[in-house]
Amino acid sequence: MEKINVDTRGMDCPIPLIKLKEALSEAEDGQEIDLTFTCPEAVVNLPTYCQENGHEVIDFEKNPKEWRIVVKK
């Protein structure tokens, strides 16, 4: 299973969350979504959504100008 890459850099909330939801709906069980974003609100929104909906956060990192979250469906 290939990882799904989603780039939402430069997009404000709620777009990163919408794109994550779209990717999760298309993903197979166990597939990973690698999402890059720059919206500060998504730092809270994305992990919270994953926790509330049973998706595992595999990795979450801050790079100099952006964040990256990897979610397993």
Side-chain angles (χ1 to χ4, degrees):
M1 247 182 295
E2 281 191 33
K3 190 180 285 187
I4 298 171
N5 294 301
V6 180
D7 185 353
T8 63
R9 287 177 283 193
M11 299 179 194
D12 292 328
C13 285
I15 301 301
L17 180 58
I18 291 169
K19 295 292 186 183
L20 177 62
K21 287 179 181 181
E22 288 173 358
L24 284 165
S25 72
E26 296 170 7
E28 298 175 31
D29 286 342
Q31 194 167 14
E32 294 180 4
I33 293 95
D34 187 333
L35 187 137
T36 306
F37 61 98
T38 52
C39 177
E41 290 174 40
V43 171
V44 175
N45 296 346
L46 298 181
T48 300
Y49 173 80
C50 292
Q51 182 180 11
E52 291 174 351
N53 290 277
H55 305 296
E56 182 182 356
V57 176
I58 303 290
D59 192 19
F60 188 68
E61 62 186 51
K62 168 79 167 111
N63 296 309
K65 296 182 180 182
E66 64 197 25
W67 290 271
R68 179 176 162 264
I69 189 169
V70 180
V71 177
K72 184 175 184 179
K73 180 175 180 176

Coordinates of all heavy atoms in Angstrom, one line a residue:
M1 N 0.8 -1.2 0.0 CA 0.0 0.0 0.0 C 0.9 1.2 0.0 O 1.8 1.4 0.8 CB -0.8 0.0 1.3 CG -2.3 -0.2 1.1 SD -3.2 -0.1 2.6 CE -2.6 -1.5 3.5
E2 N 0.6 2.1 -0.9 CA 1.4 3.3 -1.0 C 0.8 4.4 0.0 O -0.4 4.4 0.2 CB 1.4 3.9 -2.4 CG 2.3 3.3 -3.4 CD 2.4 4.0 -4.7 OE1 2.3 5.3 -4.7 OE2 2.5 3.4 -5.7
K3 N 1.8 5.2 0.5 CA 1.3 6.3 1.4 C 0.7 7.4 0.5 O 1.1 7.6 -0.6 CB 2.6 6.9 2.0 CG 2.3 7.8 3.1 CD 3.6 8.4 3.8 CE 4.2 7.3 4.6 NZ 5.4 7.9 5.4
I4 N -0.4 8.0 1.0 CA -1.1 9.1 0.3 C -0.4 10.4 0.8 O -0.4 10.7 2.0 CB -2.6 9.1 0.6 CG1 -3.2 7.8 0.1 CG2 -3.3 10.3 0.0 CD1 -4.7 7.6 0.6
N5 N 0.1 11.2 -0.2 CA 0.7 12.4 0.2 C -0.3 13.6 -0.2 O -0.8 13.6 -1.3 CB 2.0 12.6 -0.6 CG 3.0 11.6 -0.2 OD1 3.4 11.6 1.0 ND2 3.5 10.8 -1.1
V6 N -0.5 14.5 0.8 CA -1.4 15.6 0.7 C -0.6 16.8 1.1 O -0.1 16.9 2.2 CB -2.7 15.4 1.6 CG1 -3.6 16.6 1.4 CG2 -3.4 14.1 1.3
D7 N -0.6 17.8 0.2 CA 0.1 19.1 0.5 C -0.9 20.2 0.6 O -1.6 20.6 -0.4 CB 1.1 19.4 -0.7 CG 2.0 20.6 -0.4 OD1 1.7 21.3 0.6 OD2 2.9 20.8 -1.2
T8 N -1.1 20.8 1.8 CA -2.0 21.9 2.0 C -1.2 23.2 2.4 O -1.8 24.0 3.0 CB -3.1 21.5 3.0 OG1 -2.5 21.3 4.3 CG2 -3.9 20.3 2.5
R9 N 0.0 23.2 2.1 CA 0.8 24.4 2.5 C 0.2 25.7 1.9 O -0.2 25.6 0.7 CB 2.3 24.3 2.0 CG 3.0 23.3 2.9 CD 4.4 23.1 2.4 NE 4.4 22.2 1.2 CZ 5.4 21.7 0.7 NH1 6.6 21.9 1.1 NH2 5.3 20.9 -0.4
G10 N 0.1 26.7 2.7 CA -0.5 28.0 2.2 C -2.0 28.0 2.3 O -2.6 29.0 2.0
M11 N -2.7 26.9 2.7 CA -4.1 26.9 2.8 C -4.5 27.0 4.2 O -4.0 26.4 5.1 CB -4.7 25.6 2.2 CG -4.4 25.4 0.8 SD -5.0 23.8 0.2 CE -4.2 23.6 -1.3
D12 N -5.5 27.9 4.5 CA -6.0 28.1 5.9 C -7.0 27.1 6.2 O -7.7 26.4 5.4 CB -6.6 29.5 6.0 CG -5.5 30.6 5.9 OD1 -4.4 30.4 6.3 OD2 -5.8 31.7 5.3
C13 N -7.2 26.9 7.6 CA -8.3 26.1 8.1 C -9.6 26.6 7.6 O -9.8 27.8 7.5 CB -8.2 26.0 9.6 SG -6.8 25.1 10.2
P14 N -10.5 25.7 7.3 CA -10.5 24.2 7.6 C -10.0 23.4 6.4 O -10.2 22.2 6.5 CB -12.0 23.9 7.9 CG -12.7 24.8 6.9 CD -11.9 26.1 6.8
I15 N -9.3 23.9 5.4 CA -8.9 23.2 4.3 C -8.0 22.0 4.6 O -8.3 20.9 4.1 CB -8.2 24.1 3.2 CG1 -9.2 25.2 2.7 CG2 -7.7 23.3 2.0 CD1 -10.5 24.7 2.1
P16 N -7.0 22.1 5.5 CA -6.2 20.9 5.8 C -7.0 19.8 6.4 O -6.8 18.6 6.0 CB -5.2 21.4 6.8 CG -5.0 22.9 6.5 CD -6.4 23.3 6.1
L17 N -8.0 20.1 7.2 CA -8.9 19.1 7.8 C -9.8 18.5 6.7 O -9.9 17.2 6.7 CB -9.7 19.6 8.9 CG -10.6 18.6 9.6 CD1 -9.9 17.5 10.2 CD2 -11.4 19.4 10.7
I18 N -10.3 19.3 5.8 CA -11.1 18.8 4.8 C -10.3 17.8 3.9 O -10.8 16.7 3.5 CB -11.7 19.9 3.9 CG1 -12.7 20.7 4.8 CG2 -12.3 19.4 2.6 CD1 -13.2 22.0 4.2
K19 N -9.1 18.2 3.5 CA -8.2 17.4 2.7 C -7.9 16.1 3.4 O -7.8 15.0 2.7 CB -7.0 18.1 2.3 CG -7.3 19.3 1.4 CD -7.8 18.9 0.0 CE -7.9 20.1 -0.9 NZ -8.5 19.7 -2.2
L20 N -7.6 16.1 4.7 CA -7.4 14.9 5.5 C -8.6 14.0 5.4 O -8.4 12.8 5.2 CB -7.0 15.2 6.9 CG -6.7 14.0 7.8 CD1 -5.5 13.2 7.3 CD2 -6.4 14.5 9.2
K21 N -9.8 14.5 5.7 CA -11.0 13.7 5.6 C -11.2 13.1 4.3 O -11.5 11.9 4.2 CB -12.2 14.6 6.0 CG -12.3 15.0 7.4 CD -13.5 15.8 7.6 CE -13.7 16.3 9.1 NZ -14.9 17.1 9.3
E22 N -10.9 13.8 3.2 CA -11.0 13.3 1.8 C -10.1 12.1 1.6 O -10.4 11.1 1.1 CB -10.8 14.4 0.8 CG -11.9 15.4 0.7 CD -11.5 16.5 -0.3 OE1 -10.4 16.6 -0.8 OE2 -12.4 17.4 -0.4
A23 N -8.8 12.3 2.0 CA -7.8 11.3 1.9 C -8.2 10.0 2.7 O -8.0 8.9 2.2 CB -6.4 11.8 2.3
L24 N -8.7 10.2 3.9 CA -9.1 9.1 4.7 C -10.2 8.3 4.1 O -10.3 7.1 4.2 CB -9.4 9.6 6.1 CG -8.2 9.9 7.0 CD1 -8.7 10.7 8.3 CD2 -7.5 8.7 7.4
S25 N -11.1 9.0 3.5 CA -12.3 8.4 2.9 C -11.9 7.5 1.7 O -12.5 6.5 1.4 CB -13.4 9.4 2.5 OG -13.0 10.1 1.4
E26 N -10.8 7.9 1.0 CA -10.3 7.2 -0.1 C -9.3 6.1 0.2 O -9.1 5.2 -0.5 CB -9.6 8.1 -1.1 CG -10.6 9.1 -1.7 CD -9.9 10.2 -2.5 OE1 -8.7 10.1 -2.7 OE2 -10.6 11.2 -2.9
A27 N -8.7 6.2 1.4 CA -7.7 5.2 1.9 C -8.3 3.9 2.3 O -9.4 3.8 2.7 CB -6.9 5.8 3.1
E28 N -7.4 2.9 2.2 CA -7.8 1.5 2.6 C -7.4 1.5 4.1 O -6.6 2.2 4.6 CB -7.0 0.5 1.9 CG -7.3 0.5 0.4 CD -6.4 -0.5 -0.4 OE1 -6.0 -1.5 0.2 OE2 -6.1 -0.2 -1.5
D29 N -8.0 0.5 4.8 CA -7.7 0.3 6.2 C -6.2 0.0 6.3 O -5.7 -0.8 5.6 CB -8.5 -0.8 6.9 CG -9.9 -0.4 7.1 OD1 -10.2 0.8 7.2 OD2 -10.8 -1.3 7.3
G30 N -5.5 0.7 7.2 CA -4.1 0.5 7.4 C -3.2 1.4 6.6 O -2.0 1.4 6.8
Q31 N -3.8 2.1 5.6 CA -3.0 2.9 4.7 C -2.7 4.2 5.5 O -3.4 4.7 6.3 CB -3.8 3.2 3.4 CG -3.0 3.9 2.3 CD -3.7 3.8 1.0 OE1 -4.9 3.6 0.9 NE2 -2.9 4.1 -0.1
E32 N -1.5 4.8 5.1 CA -1.1 6.1 5.8 C -1.3 7.3 4.9 O -1.1 7.2 3.7 CB 0.4 5.9 6.1 CG 0.7 4.9 7.2 CD 2.1 4.8 7.6 OE1 3.0 5.5 7.1 OE2 2.5 3.9 8.4
I33 N -1.6 8.4 5.5 CA -1.7 9.7 4.8 C -0.7 10.6 5.4 O -0.6 10.8 6.6 CB -3.1 10.3 5.0 CG1 -4.2 9.5 4.3 CG2 -3.2 11.7 4.5 CD1 -4.9 8.5 5.2
D34 N 0.1 11.2 4.5 CA 1.2 12.1 4.9 C 0.8 13.5 4.5 O 0.8 13.8 3.3 CB 2.5 11.6 4.2 CG 3.7 12.4 4.6 OD1 3.6 13.6 5.1 OD2 4.8 11.9 4.5
L35 N 0.4 14.3 5.4 CA -0.1 15.6 5.1 C 0.8 16.7 5.6 O 1.2 16.7 6.8 CB -1.5 15.8 5.8 CG -2.3 17.0 5.4 CD1 -3.7 16.7 5.2 CD2 -2.2 18.1 6.5
T36 N 1.2 17.7 4.7 CA 2.0 18.8 5.1 C 1.1 20.0 5.1 O 0.3 20.2 4.2 CB 3.1 19.0 4.0 OG1 3.8 17.8 3.9 CG2 4.1 20.1 4.4
F37 N 1.3 20.9 6.1 CA 0.4 22.1 6.3 C 1.2 23.2 6.9 O 2.2 23.0 7.6 CB -0.8 21.7 7.0 CG -0.6 21.2 8.4 CD1 -0.7 22.1 9.5 CD2 -0.3 19.9 8.7 CE1 -0.5 21.7 10.8 CE2 -0.1 19.5 10.0 CZ -0.2 20.3 11.1
T38 N 0.6 24.4 6.8 CA 1.2 25.6 7.4 C 0.2 26.4 8.3 O 0.6 27.3 8.9 CB 1.7 26.6 6.3 OG1 0.6 26.8 5.4 CG2 2.9 26.0 5.5
C39 N -1.0 25.9 8.3 CA -2.0 26.6 9.2 C -1.8 26.3 10.6 O -2.0 25.1 11.0 CB -3.4 26.2 8.7 SG -4.7 26.9 9.7
P40 N -1.6 27.2 11.5 CA -1.3 27.0 12.9 C -2.5 26.3 13.6 O -2.3 25.5 14.5 CB -1.0 28.3 13.5 CG -0.7 29.2 12.4 CD -1.4 28.7 11.2
E41 N -3.7 26.6 13.2 CA -4.9 26.0 13.9 C -4.9 24.5 13.7 O -5.4 23.7 14.5 CB -6.2 26.6 13.3 CG -6.4 28.0 13.7 CD -7.6 28.6 13.0 OE1 -8.6 27.9 12.8 OE2 -7.5 29.8 12.5
A42 N -4.4 24.0 12.5 CA -4.4 22.6 12.2 C -3.5 21.8 13.1 O -3.7 20.6 13.3 CB -4.0 22.4 10.8
V43 N -2.6 22.4 13.8 CA -1.7 21.8 14.8 C -2.6 21.1 15.9 O -2.3 20.0 16.4 CB -0.7 22.7 15.4 CG1 0.0 22.1 16.6 CG2 0.2 23.3 14.4
V44 N -3.7 21.7 16.2 CA -4.7 21.2 17.2 C -5.8 20.4 16.5 O -6.1 19.3 16.9 CB -5.3 22.3 18.0 CG1 -6.3 21.8 19.0 CG2 -4.2 23.0 18.8
N45 N -6.3 20.9 15.4 CA -7.5 20.3 14.8 C -7.2 18.9 14.2 O -8.1 18.0 14.4 CB -8.0 21.2 13.7 CG -8.5 22.6 14.2 OD1 -8.7 22.7 15.3 ND2 -8.7 23.5 13.2
L46 N -6.1 18.8 13.5 CA -5.9 17.5 12.9 C -5.7 16.3 13.9 O -6.3 15.3 13.8 CB -4.7 17.6 11.9 CG -4.8 18.6 10.8 CD1 -3.6 18.6 9.9 CD2 -6.1 18.3 9.9
P47 N -4.8 16.5 14.9 CA -4.6 15.4 15.8 C -5.9 15.1 16.6 O -6.2 13.9 16.9 CB -3.5 15.8 16.8 CG -2.8 16.9 16.0 CD -3.8 17.5 15.1
T48 N -6.7 16.2 17.0 CA -7.9 16.0 17.7 C -8.9 15.2 16.8 O -9.5 14.3 17.4 CB -8.5 17.4 18.1 OG1 -7.6 18.0 18.9 CG2 -9.8 17.2 18.8
Y49 N -9.0 15.5 15.6 CA -9.9 14.8 14.7 C -9.5 13.3 14.6 O -10.4 12.4 14.7 CB -9.9 15.4 13.3 CG -10.7 14.6 12.3 CD1 -12.1 14.7 12.3 CD2 -10.1 13.7 11.5 CE1 -12.8 13.9 11.4 CE2 -10.8 12.9 10.6 CZ -12.2 13.0 10.6 OH -12.9 12.2 9.7
C50 N -8.2 13.1 14.5 CA -7.8 11.7 14.4 C -8.1 10.9 15.7 O -8.6 9.8 15.6 CB -6.3 11.7 14.2 SG -5.8 12.3 12.5
Q51 N -7.9 11.5 16.8 CA -8.1 10.9 18.1 C -9.6 10.6 18.2 O -10.0 9.5 18.7 CB -7.7 11.7 19.2 CG -7.9 11.1 20.6 CD -7.4 12.0 21.7 OE1 -7.1 13.2 21.5 NE2 -7.3 11.4 22.9
E52 N -10.5 11.5 17.9 CA -11.9 11.4 18.0 C -12.5 10.4 17.1 O -13.6 9.8 17.3 CB -12.6 12.7 17.9 CG -12.3 13.7 19.0 CD -12.9 15.1 18.8 OE1 -13.4 15.4 17.6 OE2 -12.9 15.9 19.7
N53 N -11.8 10.1 16.0 CA -12.3 9.2 14.9 C -11.6 7.9 14.8 O -11.7 7.2 13.8 CB -12.4 10.0 13.6 CG -13.5 11.0 13.7 OD1 -14.7 10.8 13.5 ND2 -13.1 12.2 14.0
G54 N -10.7 7.6 15.7 CA -10.0 6.3 15.7 C -8.9 6.1 14.7 O -8.6 5.0 14.3
H55 N -8.3 7.2 14.2 CA -7.1 7.2 13.3 C -5.9 7.4 14.1 O -5.8 8.3 14.9 CB -7.3 8.2 12.2 CG -8.6 8.1 11.4 ND1 -8.9 6.9 10.7 CD2 -9.6 8.9 11.3 CE1 -10.1 7.1 10.2 NE2 -10.6 8.3 10.5
E56 N -4.9 6.6 13.8 CA -3.6 6.7 14.6 C -2.6 7.7 14.0 O -2.4 7.7 12.8 CB -2.9 5.3 14.6 CG -1.7 5.2 15.3 CD -1.0 3.8 15.3 OE1 -1.6 2.9 14.7 OE2 0.1 3.7 15.8
V57 N -2.1 8.6 14.8 CA -1.1 9.5 14.4 C 0.2 8.8 14.5 O 0.7 8.5 15.6 CB -1.1 10.9 15.2 CG1 0.0 11.8 14.8 CG2 -2.5 11.6 15.0
I58 N 0.9 8.6 13.4 CA 2.2 7.8 13.4 C 3.3 8.8 13.6 O 4.3 8.4 14.3 CB 2.4 7.2 12.0 CG1 1.2 6.3 11.6 CG2 3.7 6.5 11.9 CD1 1.2 5.0 12.5
D59 N 3.2 10.0 13.1 CA 4.3 11.0 13.2 C 3.7 12.4 13.1 O 2.7 12.6 12.5 CB 5.3 10.8 12.0 CG 6.6 11.5 12.2 OD1 6.9 11.9 13.4 OD2 7.3 11.7 11.2
F60 N 4.4 13.3 13.8 CA 3.9 14.7 13.8 C 5.2 15.5 14.1 O 5.8 15.4 15.1 CB 2.9 14.9 15.0 CG 2.2 16.2 14.9 CD1 1.4 16.6 13.9 CD2 2.5 17.2 15.9 CE1 0.8 17.8 13.8 CE2 1.8 18.4 15.9 CZ 1.0 18.7 14.8
E61 N 5.5 16.3 13.1 CA 6.8 17.1 13.3 C 6.6 18.5 12.8 O 5.8 18.8 11.9 CB 7.9 16.4 12.5 CG 7.7 16.2 11.1 CD 8.8 15.4 10.4 OE1 9.1 14.3 10.9 OE2 9.4 15.9 9.4
K62 N 7.4 19.3 13.3 CA 7.5 20.8 13.0 C 8.8 21.0 12.2 O 9.9 20.7 12.7 CB 7.4 21.6 14.2 CG 7.8 23.1 14.0 CD 6.6 23.9 13.4 CE 6.8 25.3 13.5 NZ 7.0 26.0 12.2
N63 N 8.7 21.5 11.0 CA 9.9 21.9 10.2 C 9.9 23.4 10.3 O 9.0 24.0 10.9 CB 9.7 21.4 8.8 CG 9.7 19.9 8.7 OD1 10.6 19.2 9.3 ND2 8.7 19.3 8.1
P64 N 11.0 24.0 9.8 CA 11.1 25.4 10.0 C 9.9 26.3 9.6 O 9.6 27.2 10.2 CB 12.4 25.8 9.1 CG 13.2 24.5 9.1 CD 12.2 23.4 9.2
K65 N 9.3 25.9 8.5 CA 8.2 26.7 8.0 C 6.8 26.0 7.8 O 5.9 26.6 7.3 CB 8.5 27.3 6.6 CG 9.7 28.3 6.6 CD 10.0 28.8 5.3 CE 11.2 29.8 5.4 NZ 11.5 30.4 4.1
E66 N 6.8 24.8 8.3 CA 5.6 24.0 8.1 C 5.5 22.8 9.1 O 6.5 22.5 9.8 CB 5.5 23.4 6.7 CG 6.7 22.4 6.4 CD 7.0 22.2 5.0 OE1 6.6 23.0 4.1 OE2 7.5 21.1 4.6
W67 N 4.4 22.2 9.1 CA 4.2 21.0 10.0 C 3.9 19.8 9.0 O 3.4 20.0 7.9 CB 3.0 21.1 10.9 CG 3.2 22.1 12.0 CD1 3.7 21.9 13.2 CD2 2.8 23.5 12.0 NE1 3.8 23.0 14.0 CE2 3.2 24.0 13.2 CE3 2.3 24.3 11.0 CZ2 3.0 25.4 13.6 CZ3 2.1 25.7 11.4 CH2 2.4 26.2 12.6
R68 N 4.1 18.6 9.6 CA 3.8 17.4 8.8 C 3.2 16.4 9.8 O 3.7 16.2 10.9 CB 5.1 16.8 8.3 CG 5.0 15.6 7.5 CD 6.4 15.2 6.9 NE 6.3 13.8 6.5 CZ 6.8 12.8 7.3 NH1 7.3 13.0 8.4 NH2 6.7 11.6 6.8
I69 N 2.1 15.8 9.4 CA 1.5 14.7 10.2 C 1.3 13.5 9.3 O 0.9 13.6 8.1 CB 0.1 15.3 10.8 CG1 -0.4 14.3 11.8 CG2 -0.9 15.6 9.7 CD1 -1.6 14.8 12.6
V70 N 1.5 12.4 9.9 CA 1.3 11.1 9.2 C 0.2 10.3 10.0 O 0.4 10.1 11.2 CB 2.6 10.2 9.1 CG1 2.3 8.9 8.4 CG2 3.7 11.0 8.4
V71 N -0.8 10.0 9.3 CA -2.0 9.4 10.0 C -2.2 8.0 9.3 O -2.2 7.9 8.1 CB -3.2 10.3 9.8 CG1 -4.5 9.6 10.3 CG2 -3.0 11.6 10.4
K72 N -2.5 7.0 10.2 CA -2.8 5.7 9.7 C -4.3 5.5 9.8 O -4.9 5.6 10.9 CB -2.1 4.6 10.5 CG -2.3 3.2 10.0 CD -1.3 2.3 10.8 CE -1.4 0.9 10.3 NZ -0.5 0.0 11.1
K73 N -5.0 5.1 8.8 CA -6.4 4.9 8.8 C -6.7 3.6 9.6 O -6.1 2.6 9.4 CB -7.0 4.8 7.4 CG -8.5 4.5 7.4 CD -9.1 4.6 6.0 CE -10.6 4.3 6.1 NZ -11.2 4.5 4.8

